[in-house]
Amino acid sequence: MGKVQKKTASNKIRKKKPARDIKSNPFEVKINKQKFDILGRKTKHDRGLPGVSRSKSIKRRTETLLKEYKNQGKSNTFIDKRFGEYNTELTEDEKMAKRFSLERQRLHTKKSMYNLNEEEELTHYGQSLADVENFNDGPDSDSETEEKGKLSAEFTAIAHFGGGGLLQKKAAKPGEEEEAQKPKSRRELIEELIVKSKKEKHQRQVQRDQAQELTEKLDKDWKEIHSLLAHQGPKTEQVEKKPKAGDYDIIVRELFFDVKAQPSDRLKTKEELAKEEQERLQKLEMERLRRMRGDLEDKSKKAPKHMSADDLNDGFFLEKIDKPCLVYKDGKLEQQDDEAEELGDEHEEENREAEDSDEDEDEEENQSEESDEDDHSDLGDDSHLDQDSESEGEHNECAREKKAVESSPKKEKAPSEEARQAMMAAAKTQLPFTFSVPESYEELQSLLAGQETEKQCLIVERIRKCNHPSLSAGNKPKLETLFGFLWTYIGELATRQPAELKTIDRMVPQLYDLSQMFPEAALSFAQSTLRQSVQELEDQLQTKGRATFPKLDKLLYIKIMGALFPTSDYRHAVVTPTLVHLSQIVTKCSVTSLREVAAGLFSCCLFLDFVSFSKRFIPEVISFLLGILHLAVPCKDALGYTVIPPFKAVGKCSSLLVLQDKKAADSWEMKPLPMSWMHGVKQRDELEAAHFKLTSLAMCFNLCKKSCQLYRELPAFPEIIRPLEVLLTTHLPMNDYPPKLQELYQEVLQEMKDKPSCYQTLAFEKRKPVPLKFFTPKIVEVTDYGRKRGSSQQEKERMRLIHKHKREFKGAIREIRKDAQFLARHKFSDIMERDSERKQKVKMLMSSLATQEGEWKALRRKKRKI
């Protein structure tokens, strides 16, 4: 029960207050402010009393909804619901029959869809099974036959459910009326049932024995008949021919017997590979230093390479016993010293050969790994920058090391001093396997000076592998400086006379590997070199008014930039300025000598290499090729095309490639353009100059052919290529040139003639195109603001009803929510009241139990004292 509220003075005063005091109380009034006042409009809800309206709604729900909730499932009136009780048209039998059928239907109808165990109430002799309390089980049958556990109908009728006395009277015979008058006890009944069950068991046993005898007799007769049937010949069975396997079945069987994929070891990380490579090089360096000192390797200290399955892996192995065994023959001791020594020498030689073969195999494996790593660093360059040079150098170096090791004398018991000196000399000539990063450019020059190309690449590679950034924290800045030293060293090689192009070609893969590890350092060095070249070109233009083509080292730097950085990007920090610089070179550098012709053609090659993937159109290349071909035109009248600077239609150097000695065409052979001409070396004679002119024309034809293939898909391709086509078809004297050059000329013309027809005539469309749907809102002008618009009275009435229905619908939803909240609050309060009552009762029980426990303990203590 809840607590009774005390009648305080404040409650009495609050009840006595009239409603007008509440309305006049400013704390109970809520004013709804409006954004702006409208003249002539009457407002209904400018003021409100939320407290009053809330109390009214609670009172109304308490009088209606709460009463319905409390009276739910209760009835205070008696209504006669018997079927047909007040229907005079039905007879009593019809009423009873209908009532019985309705009762049966009610019993078979489930009250709840989740009550799966609800069934009809079972009775026995008018008594419900739920009310029977005497459940005395009868004796089970001891029979082990198939009818185990089954009881007779008489036993079940007498012993089950307490119906023995009644059934006894029904089953009594007429001759036993006197005995039937005296009822039997339960014990007598059970004894009779036991006797009957044993009798039935005996009968079943007899029947089973008879069936067993009959079965044995039948089996015996069957055996006699079967012996007679055994003399008959066997039936010929028809062998079914299996169909031949088809192609699909054969393939499935082959796939079933295929070897399954075996799991492989995980791939090692770059750090692990670098660590293993460093350890390998350090081990080889220790071996080389040992050979330089003349120390012989102690084979006995090495652990055995073969490990059996029974090995304990504790590092302990038995040493070889060199003492000869004692052999007796006919009671006499034989001498085995010589044979034992020979056997020992043979074993030592075999062991030495096995270890040498193992070392060779290890070196071959390392070489194969290095060659694989070098193969993956291919840059795809078209200027004969061979990426396999590194692997070849490593292979050659390892082969020399292997030969040096093989040439070293095999260890004997007493090696000679000459062999020892030869081993030391061979070790001194070998390159060290470990290097530290040079701290200055002069130190790098001293390391590479006097070495062959392969050895120089091998030194740089070993410096990079021994000082990998993952091995130490200070290796990264050291290798970044090494990239700058190599960049400068390549420029120095290009300025030598003659230029060491082979060494530069082999050094580019090392630069590429370093640029992949340190892209920011490579970017800064390339930008500084490019900035310096641009500054030199601008200085020449400001001082002389014209500029010369850059030297070979600057052009090679541009070529290497295309190999180190991606050229297909839309914008790149190095490639984009390089393209701008190349365009300045071919447009602002004058062509006044054969050296500048070679430099210009090399610049065009670089241009086309840079745009081979992106296929950007470079008009400077087409203009420069047109100018080069114009230099070979002997007659300058009625050209039909325009020559763009730095070339001039007529002038001192406008006939630079005109062939003067026509006999030189007979001895000319098609070869690549020599790079030595870009150094400015003067030709030896006129024949060499004529050969250079023909080679330049061949190079120009190749560039024209490549340009046609590159820009064929452009819509303006015919207009782009028309000046070159006019010059080649009408002005160039091809009859004076060699046959190979004429064939190349015909190939270029064929490429130009196979231009696609990409122009179409303009025509009107056959059907007007369907405009796209716009998602712009439709704007309607509103003249009567604040009113519901409609075209007719019916439309206005319809809009009014829709608005009213919407308002009423919202109000009904709001009231339903408030009703649900009201019921939820009362349900929760009822639960809390029941819980509080239960807790109070539990506390009272616990206190009474505690009191009893205390009294019992006190009584026990009193008994102990007594």
Side-chain angles (χ1 to χ4, degrees):
M1 294 178 64
K3 296 182 180 179
V4 180
Q5 296 182 357
K6 297 180 180 180
K7 296 181 179 181
T8 58
S10 60
N11 292 335
K12 295 178 180 179
I13 294 171
R14 190 178 294 109
K15 289 180 180 179
K16 290 180 180 180
K17 279 186 178 181
R20 57 184 182 82
D21 294 341
I22 296 175
K23 291 183 180 180
S24 61
N25 187 4
F27 296 100
E28 297 290 342
V29 178
K30 181 182 178 182
I31 300 173
N32 298 322
K33 295 183 179 180
Q34 296 180 357
K35 293 183 178 179
F36 45 86
D37 296 332
I38 300 175
L39 296 175
R41 175 180 290 183
K42 296 180 180 180
T43 57
K44 299 180 181 179
H45 306 289
D46 55 347
R47 292 173 178 270
L49 301 173
V52 175
S53 60
R54 190 182 299 111
S55 62
K56 286 182 180 179
S57 63
I58 292 173
K59 184 178 179 180
R60 185 175 62 254
R61 289 187 177 90
T62 304
E63 294 175 353
T64 56
L65 186 62
L66 186 60
K67 287 183 178 180
E68 292 179 4
Y69 171 71
K70 288 182 178 181
N71 295 331
Q72 187 179 6
K74 297 180 180 181
S75 178
N76 56 357
T77 58
F78 294 97
I79 301 174
D80 191 358
K81 294 184 179 180
R82 289 179 296 175
F83 179 81
E85 182 65 24
Y86 301 102
N87 191 353
T88 57
E89 296 179 358
L90 296 176
T91 62
E92 293 295 331
D93 295 337
E94 290 178 353
K95 292 179 182 180
M96 296 301 294
K98 189 62 177 178
R99 289 173 185 175
F100 180 76
S101 63
L102 291 174
E103 181 68 19
R104 303 300 294 178
Q105 289 179 7
R106 185 185 64 81
L107 292 175
H108 287 287
T109 303
K110 292 183 179 180
K111 296 180 181 179
S112 177
M113 62 183 297
Y114 301 105
N115 191 2
L116 302 180
N117 296 325
E118 184 179 355
E119 296 178 357
E120 184 180 359
E121 185 179 4
L122 300 177
T123 60
H124 182 69
Y125 287 104
Q127 295 181 358
S128 176
L129 295 181
D131 298 336
V132 176
E133 297 179 355
N134 188 9
F135 293 99
N136 296 325
D137 297 334
D140 295 335
S141 176
D142 297 330
S143 176
E144 296 177 0
T145 60
E146 296 177 355
E147 298 178 357
K148 181 179 179 180
K150 293 185 179 180
L151 302 177
S152 62
E154 184 180 358
F155 176 76
T156 55
I158 295 172
H160 288 185
F161 311 114
L166 296 174
L167 188 60
Q168 182 182 0
K169 295 179 181 179
K170 294 180 181 179
K173 295 181 180 180
E176 300 177 354
E177 293 179 0
E178 296 179 358
E179 295 181 1
Q181 294 177 2
K182 183 180 179 181
K184 295 181 181 181
S185 63
R186 185 175 182 81
R187 184 170 183 176
E188 292 175 353
L189 290 173
I190 291 173
E191 288 177 356
E192 290 179 1
L193 291 174
I194 291 171
V195 172
K196 287 182 180 180
S197 64
K198 287 182 178 181
K199 185 178 179 181
E200 292 176 357
K201 180 179 178 182
H202 177 69
Q203 292 176 358
R204 286 193 299 270
Q205 184 69 27
V206 172
Q207 292 176 1
R208 186 169 61 254
D209 293 341
Q210 292 176 358
Q212 184 69 21
E213 291 176 0
L214 292 174
T215 304
E216 291 177 356
K217 184 180 179 180
L218 182 62
D219 292 342
K220 187 176 179 180
D221 297 341
W222 166 248
K223 288 181 181 179
E224 294 176 358
I225 298 171
H226 184 67
S227 61
L228 296 175
L229 296 174
H231 296 289
Q232 296 180 2
K235 295 182 180 179
T236 57
E237 298 180 357
Q238 296 181 359
V239 181
E240 297 181 359
K241 295 182 180 180
K242 297 182 178 180
K244 294 183 179 180
D247 296 337
Y248 176 77
D249 298 332
I250 294 172
I251 294 172
V252 169
R253 291 172 185 173
E254 290 177 355
L255 291 175
F256 180 75
F257 291 105
D258 280 350
V259 180
K260 303 298 187 296
Q262 299 295 331
S264 59
D265 298 334
R266 71 172 183 86
L267 297 177
K268 296 181 180 179
T269 60
K270 294 181 180 180
E271 292 76 10
E272 292 175 352
L273 293 174
K275 184 67 176 177
E276 290 181 359
E277 186 67 19
Q278 185 194 31
E279 292 175 354
R280 186 185 72 85
L281 293 175
Q282 289 177 354
K283 183 178 179 181
L284 293 175
E285 180 63 16
M286 291 174 63
E287 292 292 328
R288 189 185 71 86
L289 294 176
R290 181 188 57 76
R291 292 195 299 272
M292 286 178 61
R293 293 192 300 268
D295 297 338
L296 298 177
E297 185 179 4
D298 190 4
K299 294 291 183 73
S300 62
K301 294 182 180 179
K302 286 190 175 182
K305 295 200 173 183
H306 174 70
M307 184 179 292
S308 66
D310 299 330
D311 194 357
L312 297 177
N313 198 16
D314 55 358
F316 177 79
F317 61 95
L318 296 175
E319 296 182 356
K320 183 180 177 182
I321 302 175
D322 296 334
K323 294 181 180 181
C325 300
L326 297 178
V327 180
Y328 290 88
K329 188 175 182 182
D330 298 333
K332 295 181 181 180
L333 178 65
E334 288 189 355
Q335 299 292 334
Q336 299 292 334
D337 298 339
D338 298 336
E339 295 179 1
E341 290 178 0
E342 292 176 0
L343 291 173
D345 295 339
E346 290 178 0
H347 287 305
E348 287 180 0
E349 290 176 0
E350 290 177 358
N351 294 335
R352 189 181 301 111
E353 290 176 359
E355 290 177 358
D356 292 340
S357 63
D358 292 338
E359 291 178 358
D360 297 340
E361 289 175 1
D362 295 338
E363 291 179 0
E364 289 175 1
E365 290 176 1
N366 294 330
Q367 290 170 8
S368 64
E369 291 177 0
E370 292 175 0
S371 64
D372 293 340
E373 293 177 359
D374 297 337
D375 292 342
H376 289 300
S377 62
D378 188 11
L379 301 180
D381 203 352
D382 295 334
S383 64
H384 308 289
L385 294 175
D386 298 333
Q387 304 302 325
D388 299 332
S389 59
E390 181 183 0
S391 61
E392 292 177 0
E394 181 71 17
H395 184 273
N396 297 333
E397 180 64 22
C398 294
R400 286 194 295 272
E401 294 170 3
K402 183 177 178 182
K403 290 179 181 178
V405 172
E406 291 177 354
S407 63
S408 62
K410 294 183 179 180
K411 291 189 288 184
E412 299 177 357
K413 292 184 179 179
S416 61
E417 186 65 24
E418 295 179 358
R420 186 168 174 272
Q421 293 295 333
M423 180 184 67
M424 294 171 61
K428 289 179 181 178
T429 56
Q430 292 180 358
L431 281 176
F433 290 92
T434 57
F435 291 92
S436 60
V437 181
E439 298 180 357
S440 62
Y441 178 68
E442 290 76 13
E443 187 177 352
L444 179 64
Q445 281 182 324
S446 63
L447 281 175
L448 302 179
Q451 300 289 347
E452 298 177 359
T453 301
E454 290 79 5
K455 287 189 176 182
Q456 290 184 17
C457 297
L458 192 58
I459 289 171
V460 176
E461 182 183 1
R462 288 179 178 177
I463 291 173
R464 181 171 54 83
K465 290 181 177 180
C466 294
N467 301 275
H468 197 269
S470 62
L471 301 176
S472 178
N475 289 343
K476 182 178 179 181
K478 292 180 181 179
L479 290 180
E480 289 178 353
T481 56
L482 177 65
F483 181 88
F485 296 157
L486 288 177
W487 187 265
T488 308
Y489 182 69
I490 287 175
E492 182 185 350
L493 293 177
T495 55
R496 293 179 183 178
Q497 295 291 344
E500 298 184 9
L501 299 178
K502 183 179 179 182
T503 306
I504 296 173
D505 187 18
R506 299 296 177 87
M507 282 292 179
V508 169
Q510 305 299 329
L511 273 178
Y512 178 78
D513 293 338
L514 290 172
S515 66
Q516 294 300 310
M517 287 194 291
F518 314 108
E520 295 180 356
L523 186 71
S524 63
F525 283 110
Q527 286 179 344
S528 63
T529 303
L530 189 63
R531 195 179 298 111
Q532 183 181 359
S533 179
V534 171
Q535 187 64 34
E536 291 178 358
L537 184 65
E538 291 179 354
D539 293 343
Q540 289 180 4
L541 291 174
Q542 289 179 359
T543 55
K544 299 180 181 179
R546 63 184 183 87
T548 58
F549 277 87
K551 295 183 179 180
L552 181 61
D553 56 344
K554 303 296 182 184
L555 295 176
L556 286 179
Y557 275 139
I558 295 174
K559 176 65 179 174
I560 294 171
M561 289 176 191
L564 298 184
F565 304 102
T567 57
S568 60
D569 291 352
Y570 181 75
R571 186 182 299 275
H572 193 268
V574 174
V575 177
T576 304
T578 304
L579 291 174
V580 175
H581 181 52
L582 281 174
S583 64
Q584 292 177 349
I585 290 174
V586 296
T587 54
K588 295 182 179 180
C589 295
S590 58
V591 182
T592 58
S593 63
L594 296 180
R595 180 256 168 193
E596 292 172 345
V597 171
L601 291 175
F602 186 72
S603 301
C604 291
C605 289
L606 295 180
F607 246 134
L608 295 179
D609 288 341
F610 271 68
V611 299
S612 59
F613 290 105
S614 60
K615 295 184 179 181
R616 296 176 183 172
F617 175 59
I618 309 296
E620 291 86 351
V621 175
I622 305 298
S623 301
F624 191 85
L625 293 177
L626 181 65
I628 293 294
L629 292 175
H630 177 73
L631 297 179
V633 174
C635 182
K636 312 293 183 182
D637 299 335
L639 296 177
Y641 57 87
T642 305
V643 180
I644 300 174
F647 298 98
K648 296 180 181 179
V650 179
K652 181 180 178 181
C653 300
S654 60
S655 301
L656 196 61
L657 295 181
V658 175
L659 190 63
Q660 302 295 337
D661 187 5
K662 298 183 180 180
K663 295 181 180 180
D666 299 334
S667 60
W668 176 78
E669 294 180 0
M670 185 178 290
K671 295 180 180 179
L673 192 66
M675 301 288 288
S676 60
W677 282 85
M678 281 186 282
H679 275 292
V681 181
K682 295 182 180 180
Q683 64 275 12
R684 297 179 181 178
D685 51 9
E686 295 295 333
L687 182 63
E688 187 177 357
H691 287 175
F692 177 80
K693 293 178 182 179
L694 293 174
T695 304
S696 300
L697 287 176
M699 186 68 183
C700 189
F701 286 163
N702 283 324
L703 291 176
C704 290
K705 182 179 177 182
K706 190 173 181 180
S707 300
C708 292
Q709 295 173 354
L710 193 62
Y711 301 133
R712 181 181 301 278
E713 298 178 359
L714 293 178
F717 175 74
E719 283 72 20
I720 292 171
I721 214 70
R722 185 175 291 119
L724 289 174
E725 188 177 3
V726 171
L727 189 149
L728 291 174
T729 53
T730 57
H731 297 284
L732 206 61
M734 294 305 301
N735 296 329
D736 300 338
Y737 294 146
K740 292 184 179 180
L741 198 59
Q742 293 180 8
E743 292 177 2
L744 186 60
Y745 168 79
Q746 294 297 331
E747 292 177 2
V748 175
L749 288 181
Q750 186 65 30
E751 289 288 340
M752 292 180 179
K753 290 179 181 179
D754 294 341
K755 49 190 175 182
S757 57
C758 53
Y759 296 136
Q760 295 180 357
T761 57
L762 296 177
F764 290 103
E765 293 186 0
K766 296 181 180 179
R767 188 175 61 181
K768 185 178 180 181
V770 180
L772 297 176
K773 292 183 179 180
F774 292 98
F775 295 98
T776 353
K778 184 179 180 181
I779 300 173
V780 180
E781 186 178 359
V782 179
T783 55
D784 49 347
Y785 293 98
R787 296 183 181 180
K788 301 296 181 183
R789 294 177 291 105
S791 57
S792 63
Q793 188 68 23
Q794 295 179 354
E795 185 67 20
K796 290 180 180 181
E797 185 66 20
R798 177 176 168 275
M799 294 297 293
R800 186 183 66 79
L801 291 175
I802 290 173
H803 178 68
K804 185 177 181 180
H805 172 265
K806 186 177 180 181
R807 185 173 65 249
E808 294 295 334
F809 184 75
K810 288 183 178 179
I813 291 175
R814 184 167 56 251
E815 290 298 323
I816 290 171
R817 287 176 180 171
K818 289 181 179 180
D819 292 346
Q821 293 173 2
F822 177 78
L823 289 176
R825 284 197 300 270
H826 278 276
K827 289 179 181 180
F828 182 72
S829 63
D830 294 342
I831 292 171
M832 294 301 294
E833 287 179 2
R834 290 196 299 269
D835 291 346
S836 62
E837 291 177 2
R838 183 181 57 81
K839 289 179 181 179
Q840 188 69 21
K841 291 180 181 179
V842 169
K843 286 181 181 180
M844 292 173 64
L845 290 174
M846 293 300 293
S847 63
S848 64
L849 290 174
T851 305
Q852 292 178 8
E853 184 72 16
E855 293 177 356
W856 179 76
K857 287 183 178 180
L859 184 59
R860 190 175 58 178
R861 284 195 299 270
K862 186 183 293 185
K863 287 181 179 181
R864 287 179 182 177
K865 290 179 181 180
I866 295 172

